[in-house]
């Protein structure tokens, strides 16, 4: 597949502003873990696009009508190769993100609860979550908003935040944990999944070793009985 835009159009709508991905390593980690959890949750839904720190342009012809969410979830879009979406263009995809996540920091938190909230509300983002991984700037580590009509209303926190996307969000140290609403099972991090698979492999190896040992003992016992019967019959 080719790019969604020509080279001239890509020059007009830049995909980078030269700013760092996040303010601190904690914020970078929070973004990466959330992005991966969302990818894993939606792995069987190819029409869902997960993006982190890319520009979302919402008005054709205006390079200023853009914002760069830390993480966003767009549903109902065509599956594309990763290199095709250098930025997200609402007029091409005919979609608005269903959910946006921002990581509040010393530099950004006032914008996150002010101008960015107003922008996402005005553009029709159904859910907006702000996470403070340092536990310093917000009234709670995680705050959620949902559109009711054309206005945001805070989502009540009941053992986390239930999202319309099918999961619950809970805070675990400096990360947001996704809980599958249908199964009530947490979505493991990639490291947790690897550790679990490794532990399961080690358990299977121990079981296999025990079975082989049991078989060897049984074979030895059979040979002993055969030898004993042979001696008694002679």
């Amino acid at each position: 597949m080719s790019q969604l835009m020509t080279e001239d159009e890509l020059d007009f709508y830049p995909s980078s502003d030269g700013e760092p991905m996040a303010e601190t390593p904690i914020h970078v980690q929070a973004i990466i873990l959330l992005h991966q959890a969302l990818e894993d949750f939606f792995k069987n839904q190819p029409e869902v696009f997960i993006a982190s720190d890319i520009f979302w342009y919402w008005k054709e012809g205006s390079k200023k009508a853009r914002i760069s969410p830390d993480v966003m979830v767009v549903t109902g879009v065509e599956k594309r190769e990763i290199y095709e979406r250098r930025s997200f263009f609402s007029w091409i995809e005919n979609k608005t993100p269903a959910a946006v996540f921002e990581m509040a920091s010393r530099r950004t938190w006032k914008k996150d609860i002010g101008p960015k909230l107003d922008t996402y509300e005005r553009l029709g983002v159904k859910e907006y979550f702000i996470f403070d991984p340092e536990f310093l700037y917000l009234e709670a580590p995680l705050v959620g908003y949902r559109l009711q009509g054309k206005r945001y209303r805070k989502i009540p926190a009941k053992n986390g935040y239930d999202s319309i996307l099918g999961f619950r969000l809970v805070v675990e140290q400096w990360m947001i944990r996704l809980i599958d609403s249908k199964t009530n099972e947490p979505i493991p991090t990639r490291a947790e999944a690897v550790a679990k698979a490794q532990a399961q492999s080690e358990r299977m190896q121990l079981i296999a070793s025990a079975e082989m040992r049991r078989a060897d003992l049984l074979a030895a016992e059979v040979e002993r009985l055969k030898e004993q019967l042979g001696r008694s019959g002679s």
Side-chain angles (χ1 to χ4, degrees):
M1 291 185 178
S2 61
Q3 294 280 359
L4 294 176
M5 287 192 158
T6 66
E7 289 299 320
D8 288 342
E9 288 173 323
L10 290 173
D11 287 338
F12 183 79
Y13 300 106
S15 59
S16 173
D17 58 4
E19 293 291 325
M21 178 180 183
E23 191 164 336
T24 72
I26 292 176
H27 293 82
V28 173
Q29 185 84 333
I31 291 171
I32 291 172
L33 291 174
L34 176 60
H35 185 112
Q36 291 178 341
L38 289 164
E39 282 188 332
D40 293 342
F41 181 80
F42 289 110
K43 63 183 177 182
N44 295 321
Q45 300 182 49
E47 73 283 0
V48 177
F49 174 54
I50 313 297
S52 294
D53 196 40
I54 73 169
F55 280 137
W56 163 28
Y57 288 92
W58 63 82
K59 184 178 180 181
E60 186 174 7
S62 174
K63 63 175 64 179
K64 293 183 178 180
R66 71 185 189 191
I67 197 166
S68 179
D70 285 334
V71 182
M72 64 179 176
V73 181
V74 189
T75 59
V77 293
E78 181 182 347
K79 179 177 174 59
R80 298 185 185 277
E81 299 296 335
I82 191 170
Y83 61 81
E84 292 185 272
R85 289 186 173 108
R86 298 174 63 91
S87 299
F88 184 80
F89 304 96
S90 283
W91 64 92
I92 292 178
E93 309 271 5
N94 197 28
K95 288 291 179 180
T96 295
V100 162
F101 300 81
E102 295 287 0
M103 309 299 156
S105 67
R106 184 178 64 84
R107 182 173 58 87
T108 69
W109 72 272
K110 291 181 180 180
K111 293 180 181 179
D112 294 333
I113 65 174
K116 286 185 180 180
L117 185 148
D118 294 340
T119 296
Y120 295 137
E121 180 184 68
R122 175 170 53 83
L123 295 174
V125 176
K126 294 179 181 178
E127 290 184 331
Y128 175 41
F129 297 96
I130 314 171
F131 178 46
D132 176 9
E134 296 180 283
F135 292 56
L136 291 175
Y137 306 107
L138 304 181
E139 61 190 79
L142 181 63
V143 180
Y145 298 87
R146 182 176 296 136
L147 276 182
Q148 292 183 5
K150 295 184 178 181
R151 303 290 296 178
Y152 273 143
R153 297 290 182 267
K154 281 189 176 180
I155 303 173
K158 298 178 181 178
N159 298 318
Y161 291 90
D162 289 312
S163 170
I164 58 175
L165 295 175
F167 50 74
R168 188 167 75 255
L169 301 167
V170 297
V171 175
E172 290 187 12
Q173 294 183 327
W174 55 81
M175 66 173 278
I176 301 174
R177 171 79 70 182
L178 268 62
I179 311 291
D180 190 313
S181 298
K182 290 183 179 179
T183 65
N184 207 34
E185 292 292 326
I187 306 301
T189 66
R190 302 281 172 87
E192 289 169 345
V194 169
K196 182 178 179 180
Q198 184 176 354
Q200 185 174 5
S201 176
E202 290 173 353
R203 283 197 301 272
M204 296 302 294
Q205 290 177 7
L206 289 173
I207 292 171
S209 297
E211 290 295 331
M212 290 178 63
R213 176 63 177 163
R214 191 176 296 112
D216 290 342
L217 291 173
L218 180 59
E221 179 65 12
V222 169
E223 290 300 320
R224 187 189 68 79
L225 291 173
K226 284 182 179 179
E227 183 178 346
Q228 183 178 356
L229 288 172
R231 286 199 302 268
S232 63
S234 60

Tab-separated table of all heavy atoms in Angstrom, residues 81-109:
chain	number	residue	atom	x	y	z
A	81	GLU	N	-1.246	-0.589	6.821
A	81	GLU	CA	0.116	-0.837	7.278
A	81	GLU	C	0.566	0.317	8.171
A	81	GLU	O	0.124	1.453	8.016
A	81	GLU	CB	1.074	-0.981	6.089
A	81	GLU	CG	0.745	-2.136	5.156
A	81	GLU	CD	0.867	-3.487	5.835
A	81	GLU	OE1	1.629	-3.593	6.833
A	81	GLU	OE2	0.199	-4.438	5.385
A	82	ILE	N	1.463	0.012	9.095
A	82	ILE	CA	1.841	1.008	10.095
A	82	ILE	C	2.466	2.252	9.471
A	82	ILE	O	2.300	3.368	9.956
A	82	ILE	CB	2.786	0.367	11.138
A	82	ILE	CG1	2.971	1.314	12.327
A	82	ILE	CG2	4.126	-0.021	10.499
A	82	ILE	CD1	3.674	0.660	13.495
A	83	TYR	N	3.177	2.080	8.344
A	83	TYR	CA	3.855	3.225	7.738
A	83	TYR	C	2.899	4.152	6.986
A	83	TYR	O	3.283	5.253	6.585
A	83	TYR	CB	4.947	2.742	6.775
A	83	TYR	CG	4.445	1.896	5.624
A	83	TYR	CD1	3.898	2.480	4.488
A	83	TYR	CD2	4.533	0.504	5.681
A	83	TYR	CE1	3.432	1.709	3.437
A	83	TYR	CE2	4.074	-0.272	4.634
A	83	TYR	CZ	3.532	0.324	3.508
A	83	TYR	OH	3.063	-0.451	2.483
A	84	GLU	N	1.666	3.720	6.768
A	84	GLU	CA	0.734	4.538	5.983
A	84	GLU	C	0.178	5.720	6.764
A	84	GLU	O	-0.266	6.703	6.165
A	84	GLU	CB	-0.422	3.668	5.488
A	84	GLU	CG	-0.012	2.629	4.463
A	84	GLU	CD	-1.218	1.895	3.925
A	84	GLU	OE1	-1.618	0.889	4.527
A	84	GLU	OE2	-1.754	2.342	2.900
A	85	ARG	N	0.153	5.606	8.082
A	85	ARG	CA	-0.415	6.680	8.893
A	85	ARG	C	0.702	7.405	9.637
A	85	ARG	O	0.959	7.154	10.810
A	85	ARG	CB	-1.438	6.125	9.879
A	85	ARG	CG	-2.741	5.645	9.254
A	85	ARG	CD	-3.735	5.248	10.342
A	85	ARG	NE	-5.053	4.937	9.829
A	85	ARG	CZ	-5.559	3.708	9.762
A	85	ARG	NH1	-4.842	2.670	10.170
A	85	ARG	NH2	-6.779	3.508	9.293
A	86	ARG	N	1.372	8.320	8.964
A	86	ARG	CA	2.371	9.157	9.635
A	86	ARG	C	1.680	10.142	10.573
A	86	ARG	O	2.229	10.528	11.603
A	86	ARG	CB	3.203	9.917	8.606
A	86	ARG	CG	3.995	9.016	7.665
A	86	ARG	CD	4.685	9.804	6.581
A	86	ARG	NE	5.666	10.711	7.138
A	86	ARG	CZ	6.944	10.397	7.329
A	86	ARG	NH1	7.377	9.179	7.028
A	86	ARG	NH2	7.791	11.283	7.823
A	87	SER	N	0.477	10.541	10.201
A	87	SER	CA	-0.419	11.345	11.025
A	87	SER	C	-1.828	10.806	10.800
A	87	SER	O	-2.053	9.956	9.934
A	87	SER	CB	-0.341	12.825	10.651
A	87	SER	OG	0.957	13.347	10.851
A	88	PHE	N	-2.777	11.315	11.574
A	88	PHE	CA	-4.166	10.902	11.406
A	88	PHE	C	-4.975	12.089	10.901
A	88	PHE	O	-4.965	13.166	11.513
A	88	PHE	CB	-4.749	10.392	12.723
A	88	PHE	CG	-6.141	9.855	12.593
A	88	PHE	CD1	-6.354	8.580	12.111
A	88	PHE	CD2	-7.239	10.637	12.931
A	88	PHE	CE1	-7.642	8.080	11.973
A	88	PHE	CE2	-8.527	10.145	12.799
A	88	PHE	CZ	-8.730	8.873	12.312
A	89	PHE	N	-5.681	11.890	9.776
A	89	PHE	CA	-6.436	12.960	9.137
A	89	PHE	C	-7.925	12.617	9.151
A	89	PHE	O	-8.358	11.663	8.499
A	89	PHE	CB	-5.960	13.152	7.693
A	89	PHE	CG	-4.485	13.425	7.576
A	89	PHE	CD1	-3.588	12.397	7.319
A	89	PHE	CD2	-3.999	14.718	7.737
A	89	PHE	CE1	-2.236	12.647	7.216
A	89	PHE	CE2	-2.638	14.975	7.628
A	89	PHE	CZ	-1.752	13.935	7.382
A	90	SER	N	-8.693	13.391	9.879
A	90	SER	CA	-10.114	13.084	10.047
A	90	SER	C	-10.880	13.101	8.736
A	90	SER	O	-11.799	12.308	8.522
A	90	SER	CB	-10.759	14.070	11.031
A	90	SER	OG	-10.423	13.749	12.356
A	91	TRP	N	-10.542	14.014	7.814
A	91	TRP	CA	-11.307	14.103	6.571
A	91	TRP	C	-10.983	12.953	5.608
A	91	TRP	O	-11.778	12.661	4.727
A	91	TRP	CB	-11.085	15.457	5.895
A	91	TRP	CG	-9.671	15.711	5.449
A	91	TRP	CD1	-9.123	15.434	4.227
A	91	TRP	CD2	-8.622	16.294	6.226
A	91	TRP	NE1	-7.800	15.795	4.185
A	91	TRP	CE2	-7.466	16.343	5.401
A	91	TRP	CE3	-8.542	16.795	7.528
A	91	TRP	CZ2	-6.255	16.855	5.859
A	91	TRP	CZ3	-7.338	17.314	7.975
A	91	TRP	CH2	-6.209	17.341	7.145
A	92	ILE	N	-9.846	12.309	5.779
A	92	ILE	CA	-9.524	11.143	4.957
A	92	ILE	C	-10.155	9.885	5.546
A	92	ILE	O	-10.758	9.075	4.829
A	92	ILE	CB	-7.994	10.962	4.843
A	92	ILE	CG1	-7.400	12.109	4.024
A	92	ILE	CG2	-7.648	9.618	4.192
A	92	ILE	CD1	-5.881	12.037	3.902
A	93	GLU	N	-10.020	9.725	6.860
A	93	GLU	CA	-10.534	8.526	7.532
A	93	GLU	C	-12.023	8.634	7.851
A	93	GLU	O	-12.682	7.632	8.157
A	93	GLU	CB	-9.764	8.296	8.828
A	93	GLU	CG	-8.252	8.296	8.671
A	93	GLU	CD	-7.694	6.936	8.356
A	93	GLU	OE1	-8.482	5.990	8.169
A	93	GLU	OE2	-6.450	6.812	8.306
A	94	ASN	N	-12.540	9.881	7.822
A	94	ASN	CA	-13.934	10.143	8.171
A	94	ASN	C	-14.255	9.662	9.585
A	94	ASN	O	-15.327	9.115	9.851
A	94	ASN	CB	-14.888	9.476	7.169
A	94	ASN	CG	-16.298	10.055	7.239
A	94	ASN	OD1	-16.479	11.219	7.599
A	94	ASN	ND2	-17.292	9.238	6.933
A	95	LYS	N	-13.294	9.851	10.488
A	95	LYS	CA	-13.454	9.408	11.861
A	95	LYS	C	-12.810	10.402	12.822
A	95	LYS	O	-11.887	11.146	12.472
A	95	LYS	CB	-12.802	8.036	12.085
A	95	LYS	CG	-13.553	6.878	11.446
A	95	LYS	CD	-14.879	6.622	12.145
A	95	LYS	CE	-15.650	5.487	11.499
A	95	LYS	NZ	-16.937	5.231	12.178
A	96	THR	N	-13.315	10.374	14.052
A	96	THR	CA	-12.736	11.091	15.179
A	96	THR	C	-12.331	10.050	16.215
A	96	THR	O	-13.032	9.045	16.376
A	96	THR	CB	-13.775	12.055	15.791
A	96	THR	OG1	-14.086	13.064	14.839
A	96	THR	CG2	-13.264	12.706	17.058
A	97	PRO	N	-11.229	10.234	16.916
A	97	PRO	CA	-10.870	9.268	17.959
A	97	PRO	C	-12.010	9.037	18.942
A	97	PRO	O	-12.704	9.982	19.342
A	97	PRO	CB	-9.658	9.922	18.640
A	97	PRO	CG	-9.042	10.754	17.559
A	97	PRO	CD	-10.191	11.282	16.759
A	98	ALA	N	-12.187	7.781	19.330
A	98	ALA	CA	-13.219	7.448	20.312
A	98	ALA	C	-12.746	7.753	21.726
A	98	ALA	O	-13.553	8.086	22.604
A	98	ALA	CB	-13.598	5.977	20.197
A	99	ALA	N	-11.449	7.618	21.953
A	99	ALA	CA	-10.892	7.883	23.277
A	99	ALA	C	-9.491	8.466	23.132
A	99	ALA	O	-8.743	8.086	22.232
A	99	ALA	CB	-10.849	6.610	24.110
A	100	VAL	N	-9.169	9.367	24.043
A	100	VAL	CA	-7.849	9.990	24.081
A	100	VAL	C	-7.325	9.917	25.513
A	100	VAL	O	-8.088	10.061	26.475
A	100	VAL	CB	-7.916	11.458	23.602
A	100	VAL	CG1	-6.690	12.238	24.039
A	100	VAL	CG2	-8.049	11.520	22.082
A	101	PHE	N	-6.010	9.705	25.615
A	101	PHE	CA	-5.342	9.659	26.917
A	101	PHE	C	-4.192	10.671	26.915
A	101	PHE	O	-3.409	10.716	25.974
A	101	PHE	CB	-4.763	8.266	27.191
A	101	PHE	CG	-5.777	7.162	27.208
A	101	PHE	CD1	-6.236	6.604	26.010
A	101	PHE	CD2	-6.275	6.658	28.404
A	101	PHE	CE1	-7.162	5.575	26.013
A	101	PHE	CE2	-7.195	5.626	28.413
A	101	PHE	CZ	-7.648	5.082	27.217
A	102	GLU	N	-4.113	11.443	27.977
A	102	GLU	CA	-2.982	12.347	28.166
A	102	GLU	C	-2.317	12.026	29.499
A	102	GLU	O	-2.981	11.689	30.483
A	102	GLU	CB	-3.434	13.810	28.162
A	102	GLU	CG	-4.013	14.296	26.846
A	102	GLU	CD	-2.970	14.502	25.754
A	102	GLU	OE1	-1.774	14.264	26.013
A	102	GLU	OE2	-3.357	14.915	24.642
A	103	MET	N	-0.974	12.122	29.528
A	103	MET	CA	-0.200	11.901	30.741
A	103	MET	C	0.173	13.263	31.321
A	103	MET	O	0.981	13.995	30.739
A	103	MET	CB	1.064	11.082	30.444
A	103	MET	CG	0.804	9.799	29.671
A	103	MET	SD	-0.283	8.659	30.564
A	103	MET	CE	-0.951	7.689	29.196
A	104	ALA	N	-0.425	13.597	32.436
A	104	ALA	CA	-0.199	14.909	33.035
A	104	ALA	C	1.211	15.000	33.613
A	104	ALA	O	1.709	14.055	34.234
A	104	ALA	CB	-1.224	15.173	34.132
A	105	SER	N	1.840	16.137	33.413
A	105	SER	CA	3.182	16.375	33.942
A	105	SER	C	3.267	17.815	34.423
A	105	SER	O	2.329	18.606	34.255
A	105	SER	CB	4.232	16.107	32.866
A	105	SER	OG	4.132	17.065	31.822
A	106	ARG	N	4.404	18.153	34.987
A	106	ARG	CA	4.582	19.521	35.471
A	106	ARG	C	4.394	20.536	34.356
A	106	ARG	O	3.830	21.616	34.557
A	106	ARG	CB	5.980	19.663	36.081
A	106	ARG	CG	6.253	21.031	36.707
A	106	ARG	CD	7.638	21.082	37.341
A	106	ARG	NE	8.676	20.917	36.335
A	106	ARG	CZ	9.160	21.901	35.595
A	106	ARG	NH1	8.686	23.141	35.721
A	106	ARG	NH2	10.113	21.670	34.710
A	107	ARG	N	4.815	20.164	33.160
A	107	ARG	CA	4.742	21.082	32.021
A	107	ARG	C	3.369	21.089	31.358
A	107	ARG	O	2.973	22.102	30.753
A	107	ARG	CB	5.824	20.705	30.996
A	107	ARG	CG	5.894	21.592	29.777
A	107	ARG	CD	7.101	21.249	28.917
A	107	ARG	NE	7.087	19.850	28.493
A	107	ARG	CZ	6.466	19.405	27.399
A	107	ARG	NH1	5.812	20.251	26.623
A	107	ARG	NH2	6.501	18.131	27.075
A	108	THR	N	2.609	19.986	31.446
A	108	THR	CA	1.403	19.861	30.624
A	108	THR	C	0.076	19.847	31.380
A	108	THR	O	-0.965	19.998	30.753
A	108	THR	CB	1.464	18.560	29.797
A	108	THR	OG1	1.339	17.425	30.672
A	108	THR	CG2	2.767	18.466	29.015
A	109	TRP	N	0.095	19.640	32.701
A	109	TRP	CA	-1.158	19.312	33.366
A	109	TRP	C	-2.222	20.407	33.247
A	109	TRP	O	-3.419	20.110	33.121
A	109	TRP	CB	-0.928	18.944	34.833
A	109	TRP	CG	-0.577	20.071	35.746
A	109	TRP	CD1	0.664	20.563	36.023
A	109	TRP	CD2	-1.488	20.840	36.537
A	109	TRP	NE1	0.595	21.601	36.922
A	109	TRP	CE2	-0.717	21.789	37.257
A	109	TRP	CE3	-2.866	20.842	36.716
A	109	TRP	CZ2	-1.286	22.705	38.133
A	109	TRP	CZ3	-3.432	21.758	37.579
A	109	TRP	CH2	-2.655	22.682	38.279
